[in-house]
């Protein structure tokens, strides 16, 4: 990987050490250029006219995502964030009282809030599969918990609060064996590790643009397997996702665009497509290997600093490193680092309550590495923590 070239195409690396890639990563220059170019065109000739002229670039985003995750372009919906994609799939089921949802301990707050909302309003039951000794979803227990009432297996691939990579493929095998729909929240994993929906065996997958894909904010996508699409009626339809066929009738689109709505930030969608192409050109496996190696080194160095406890769990760990300090709060550490132009974030119980409660964790510092980070940045970060 040509790190120098990549860094020279990432202007943000000149002014800060950005270790908040799980929050929102630094855009590469070509992504920014594509967005600004389209906004210019909108300013010059009008939004609809600009969209018509930029149609190949806009449509390329569907193809790029399909190539990246190994699906067909008709299985991709472009939405404004991961949450919206996830919600459109989740609320597309015809939920009934007594239906069960199996999820994992590291599940993301917004998803759990939706489960709770359905539990309250429809009498759906939520079962949290315990974690194994490594901290990942226990797939043996998952299978033991399967009953005819289980309507959905829904987990976060990589949670918001650390290095854990859940065994998405092993979960997919169980879902397939028992013919249970499988929704994977891949918000943190797309761009961080290679994703292949065929290998994983998920029926639905949601992701965001601004994190490991390095796309602009306000972008995301939903994948829905073609053979599964008919089982879902999105909660919100409009004249783009469906056709008004008669005074008393409508017909949903056959493709995944039934999960979209008409109005779109075209410049941002184009930016998302350029970001996905950029990532594929860097090399999905190389990118992942590099960012995970940086994170491994960070974990090792942090664990040698007195007073620091690295809090990452999982048999497989990714690029997100979390830790606590015996004396300082996560917020204090974040501010101290910010004063040195080092960006990290914090992760609190409000995002992953099941997991944080079980492990009795305080709010953690989260340093998330990307492939464009380098060893000098890693060393500066560790030195700053050492000097706290
Ligand atoms: C695991 C996980 N799922 C979903 C989301 C929500 O993503 P978005 O803000 O793009 O809707 C996040 C955001 O941090 C996340 O970490």
């Amino acid at each position: 990987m040509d790190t120098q070239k990549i860094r020279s195409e990432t202007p943000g690396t000149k002014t800060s050490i950005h270790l908040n890639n799980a929050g929102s990563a630094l855009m590469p220059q070509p992504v920014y250029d594509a967005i600004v170019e389209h906004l210019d065109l909108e300013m010059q000739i009008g939004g609809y006219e600009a969209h018509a002229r930029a149609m190949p670039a806009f449509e390329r985003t569907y193809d790029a995502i399909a190539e990246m995750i190994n699906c067909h372009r008709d299985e991709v919906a472009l939405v404004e964030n991961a949450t919206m994609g996830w919600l459109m799939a989740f609320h597309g089921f015809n939920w009934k009282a007594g239906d069960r949802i199996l999820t994992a301990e590291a599940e993301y707050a917004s998803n759990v809030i939706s489960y709770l909302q359905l539990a309250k309003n429809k009498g759906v039951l939520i079962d949290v599969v315990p974690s194994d000794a490594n901290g990942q979803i226990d797939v043996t227990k998952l299978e033991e918990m399967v009953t005819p009432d289980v309507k959905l297996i829904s987990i976060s691939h990589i949670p918001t609060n650390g290095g854990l990579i859940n065994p998405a493929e092993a979960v997919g095998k169980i879902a397939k064996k028992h013919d249970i729909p499988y929704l994977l929240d891949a918000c943190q994993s797309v761009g961080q590790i290679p994703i292949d929906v065929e290998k994983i065996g998920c029926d639905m997958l949601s992701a965001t643009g601004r994190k490991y894909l390095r796309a602009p904010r306000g972008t995301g996508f939903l994948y829905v397997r073609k053979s599964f699409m008919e089982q879902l009626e999105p909660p919100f339809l409009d004249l783009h996702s469906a056709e008004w066929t008669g005074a008393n009738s409508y017909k949903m689109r056959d493709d995944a665009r039934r999960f979209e709505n008409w109005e779109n930030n075209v410049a941002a969608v184009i930016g998302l497509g350029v970001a996905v192409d950029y990532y594929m050109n860097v090399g999905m496996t190389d990118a992942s290997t590099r960012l995970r190696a940086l994170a491994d080194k960070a974990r090792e160095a942090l664990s040698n600093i007195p007073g620091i406890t690295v809090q990452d769990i999982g048999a497989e760990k990714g690029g997100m490193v979390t830790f606590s300090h015996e004396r300082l709060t996560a917020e204090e550490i974040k501010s101290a680092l910010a004063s040195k132009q080092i960006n990290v974030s914090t992760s609190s119980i409000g995002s992953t309550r099941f997991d944080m409660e079980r492990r009795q964790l305080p709010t953690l510092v989260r340093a998330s590495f990307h492939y464009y980070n380098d060893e000098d940045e890693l060393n500066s970060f560790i030195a700053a923590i050492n000097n706290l």
Side-chain angles (χ1 to χ4, degrees):
M1 182 182 297
D2 189 345
T3 315
Q4 248 177 337
K5 178 170 180 285
I6 287 167
R7 286 179 68 79
S8 73
E9 289 170 350
T10 307
T13 57
K14 293 192 181 74
T15 47
S16 61
I17 296 178
H18 193 67
L19 303 179
N20 188 15
N21 295 294
S24 186
L26 297 175
M27 259 190 266
Q29 186 75 47
V31 173
Y32 173 85
D33 290 345
I35 297 166
V36 171
E37 191 188 322
H38 188 78
L39 286 176
D40 263 352
L41 197 61
E42 286 190 352
M43 181 176 70
Q44 296 298 339
I45 68 170
Y48 283 29
E49 293 73 10
H51 190 181
R53 201 179 285 182
M55 202 52 93
F58 182 83
E59 289 295 324
R60 170 65 202 156
T61 304
Y62 292 92
D63 290 312
I65 291 170
E67 274 171 43
M68 173 177 67
I69 64 168
N70 187 26
C71 70
H72 192 275
R73 72 194 309 276
D74 288 350
E75 297 175 313
V76 175
L78 298 177
V79 288
E80 52 268 48
N81 50 52
T83 303
M84 188 46 77
W86 190 95
L87 288 170
M88 291 297 263
F90 180 74
H91 290 288
F93 285 82
N94 183 16
W95 293 103
K96 297 202 180 66
D99 287 341
R100 289 174 65 216
I101 298 166
L102 296 184
T103 188
E105 282 184 330
E107 187 61 327
Y108 188 59
S110 299
N111 305 350
V112 178
I113 289 167
S114 284
Y115 306 148
L116 293 170
Q117 190 187 18
L118 271 196
K120 177 168 72 95
N121 295 336
K122 297 235 166 147
V124 160
L125 306 169
I126 311 158
D127 287 315
V128 183
V129 180
S131 304
D132 68 13
N134 289 314
Q136 63 186 26
I137 184 172
D138 187 328
V139 283
T140 311
K141 293 247 168 59
L142 167 70
E143 185 153 30
E144 284 166 13
M145 289 167 79
V146 168
T147 64
D149 300 330
V150 175
K151 185 107 174 224
L152 180 69
I153 296 174
S154 173
I155 64 162
S156 295
H157 195 183
I158 294 183
T160 188
N161 69 333
L164 169 69
I165 303 177
N166 262 321
E169 262 183 70
V171 171
K173 287 202 175 78
I174 291 167
K176 199 166 195 173
K177 183 170 160 196
H178 297 276
D179 199 19
I180 301 168
Y182 177 20
L183 169 58
L184 187 65
D185 176 341
C187 186
Q188 294 289 6
S189 54
V190 169
Q192 189 182 152
I193 55 174
I195 299 289
D196 180 328
V197 290
E198 285 307 319
K199 271 198 192 148
I200 292 173
C202 54
D203 301 297
M204 299 149 283
L205 175 147
S206 54
T208 210
R210 73 183 184 282
K211 297 180 189 281
Y212 274 91
L213 283 178
R214 310 182 62 194
R217 296 195 63 174
T219 57
F221 70 87
L222 171 70
Y223 154 80
V224 178
R225 185 178 294 282
K226 181 85 183 136
S227 58
F228 187 72
M229 198 107 46
E230 278 313 309
Q231 297 190 39
L232 297 178
E233 169 147 3
F236 310 117
L237 291 170
D238 73 352
L239 79 183
H240 167 81
S241 51
E243 188 189 345
W244 191 11
T245 48
N248 296 309
S249 61
Y250 67 90
K251 186 182 175 308
M252 280 186 292
R253 288 179 67 119
D254 290 332
D255 59 16
R257 296 190 199 194
R258 73 168 57 174
F259 301 95
E260 299 180 346
N261 54 48
W262 161 250
E263 176 54 3
N264 234 318
N265 184 339
V266 176
V269 167
I270 291 171
L272 173 62
V274 175
V276 172
D277 277 331
Y278 189 90
Y279 169 50
M280 291 194 289
N281 280 334
V282 166
M284 299 192 280
T285 304
D286 288 354
S288 187
T289 305
R290 182 178 161 81
L291 70 89
R292 290 175 71 179
L294 285 168
D296 281 344
K297 282 186 192 158
R299 280 186 202 103
E300 201 189 326
L302 285 168
S303 61
N304 290 326
I305 300 176
I308 297 278
T309 308
V310 175
Q311 300 286 5
D312 295 325
I313 50 174
E316 291 263 340
K317 293 187 187 67
M320 293 153 68
V321 178
T322 50
F323 58 96
S324 52
H325 190 282
E326 65 181 5
R327 190 170 36 83
L328 300 170
T329 66
E331 282 303 332
E332 284 168 335
I333 294 174
K334 182 181 158 183
S335 312
L337 293 174
S339 71
K340 295 183 160 61
Q341 282 70 52
I342 302 174
N343 302 336
V344 296
S345 128
T346 60
S347 212
S348 66
I349 193 165
S351 300
T352 42
R353 178 171 289 277
F354 294 144
D355 175 58
M356 304 283 274
E357 265 181 6
R358 179 181 66 85
R359 294 197 280 150
Q360 297 189 315
L361 292 177
T363 298
L364 303 176
V365 182
R366 185 185 73 183
S368 42
F369 289 81
H370 217 311
Y371 61 76
Y372 58 70
N373 291 127
D374 67 11
E375 305 271 340
D376 287 348
E377 291 182 321
L378 171 62
N379 294 337
S380 302
F381 163 67
I382 296 298
I385 298 289
N386 250 318
N387 290 334
L388 282 172

